Amino acid sequence: MIDKLEVFIALARTEHFGRAAEELGITQPTLSAAIKQLEDQLGVLLVKRSSRFQGLTPEGEQVLAWARRIVGDAHTMKEEMRAARHGLSGRLRIAAIPTALAMIVDLTTPFREKHPGVSFSVLSRNSVEVQTLLGNFEIDIGVTYLDNEPLGRVVSVPLYSERYQLITAIGNPLSDRDKVSWEEVAELPLCLLTPDMQNRRIIDHHLAEAGVTARPTLESNSMIVLFSHIRTGKWSSIMPLNLAETFGFAEPIRAIPIVEPDASHIVGLIAAKREPHTPLVAAFLNEATALADKLEKRV
């Protein structure tokens, strides 16, 4: 049953019989047979029948939610037994919003020193994608905003507050200021994250509070692209202070606090709300709590 449920989950995720079979390393007829056997066992149709994948039936949607829970519990049991025998090992899958990527190293490095049998995959995703991947059990940990948009059924560990700065080259308008307003920043040639990023939605919200609208001359979902344009001296940007510090901006680049309002938003870890967590996830949440304590003492 577990194997058949895993086949069903893969089909629902890929929405394609061939890609699901390839992902699982089986033939397409074997996949189709597994789905048919699962339907026979449960007494309902799970997949709308066609030569191509046409979606799940209403019963299929219900079974998918159960399948994810059952398979997740089975994986947790296996991990607990492996950890009991050999200590923590395996791969921890993390997805983080772009503005938080630079601080992931503060979690992964000390964690691997304690648990050398653990490896990581780290993806850059927007906040909606982070929640979707977590809900589909495609990642173990998300790093996202905790206080701006609904998160659903998750457990969370707050890490730090994002505070926003104008990042601009010396000689540009406003570069000699100790602080600037959101209204003033809106007049500059800006490069910003794309609108699908929550950071951009936060920035747009605070600009709207000041009665202005951002009209960026460049948008990207990559922080590297934004930084490279800022370094030309032709663009400015709005970024969290902690991110600017991580990239080590120095002369001739300045980071100037944006006020009116002096806004901040909390970034932290999220994991699926379930008991028990896998040993890897539980240990990583503990690592995050320890890091949060250190960061709070620095403030």
Side-chain angles (χ1 to χ4, degrees), residues 22-257:
E22 182 179 357
E23 181 181 292
L24 295 168
I26 60 177
T27 65
Q28 192 167 324
T30 300
L31 182 142
S32 298
I35 298 296
K36 183 64 170 63
Q37 291 167 11
L38 184 59
E39 290 177 325
D40 291 343
Q41 284 181 274
L42 298 175
V44 293
L45 288 177
L46 302 176
V47 180
K48 295 175 184 176
R49 284 295 184 266
S50 173
S51 58
R52 294 183 177 183
F53 182 85
Q54 297 292 322
L56 303 181
T57 64
E59 295 82 3
E61 294 287 355
Q62 288 181 275
V63 170
L64 180 60
W66 279 103
R68 286 170 174 157
R69 269 180 274 174
I70 292 167
V71 170
D73 286 343
H75 287 172
T76 299
M77 179 183 67
K78 290 177 182 177
E79 282 199 27
E80 283 195 357
M81 295 305 99
R82 185 172 66 234
R85 294 194 308 271
H86 308 297
L88 285 181
S89 62
R91 178 171 290 269
L92 195 66
R93 302 164 299 170
I94 303 168
I97 56 174
T99 58
L101 285 171
M103 59 74 55
I104 298 297
V105 66
D106 293 331
L107 289 163
T108 53
T109 300
F111 191 81
R112 181 161 164 74
E113 287 175 354
K114 296 172 188 172
H115 310 290
V118 175
S119 59
F120 305 89
S121 64
V122 180
L123 306 175
S124 175
R125 295 290 185 267
N126 66 41
S127 58
V128 174
E129 291 169 332
V130 169
Q131 289 178 248
T132 300
L133 290 170
L134 194 64
N136 291 343
F137 296 96
E138 295 177 62
I139 59 171
D140 306 298
I141 294 288
V143 183
T144 187
Y145 296 99
L146 302 184
D147 62 351
N148 190 57
E149 295 177 356
L151 290 172
R153 288 178 52 80
V154 299
V155 296
S156 61
V157 178
L159 287 175
Y160 62 89
S161 291
E162 269 193 356
R163 307 187 78 86
Y164 304 99
Q165 309 272 310
L166 169 65
I167 309 299
T168 192
I170 290 176
N172 282 344
L174 308 179
S175 65
D176 60 343
R177 301 275 293 277
D178 293 327
K179 59 184 178 180
V180 294
S181 70
W182 289 89
E183 184 177 3
E184 290 171 317
V185 168
E187 300 301 318
L188 299 175
L190 295 173
C191 55
L192 299 174
L193 287 172
T194 49
D196 62 313
M197 298 292 177
Q198 192 172 167
N199 172 268
R200 173 64 183 280
R201 295 195 293 276
I202 288 171
I203 288 170
D204 286 347
H205 172 73
H206 292 306
L207 288 168
E209 284 183 321
V212 293
T213 302
R215 295 182 178 85
T217 53
L218 182 140
E219 296 175 318
S220 176
N221 63 358
S222 166
M223 299 304 300
I224 298 298
V225 171
L226 299 188
F227 278 116
S228 64
H229 281 78
I230 293 167
R231 289 186 184 279
T232 67
K234 306 298 183 182
W235 272 274
S236 301
S237 190
I238 302 170
M239 293 184 180
L241 175 60
N242 60 294
L243 183 63
E245 289 174 339
T246 298
F247 275 81
F249 275 137
E251 301 290 351
I253 303 296
R254 288 204 64 207
I256 306 167

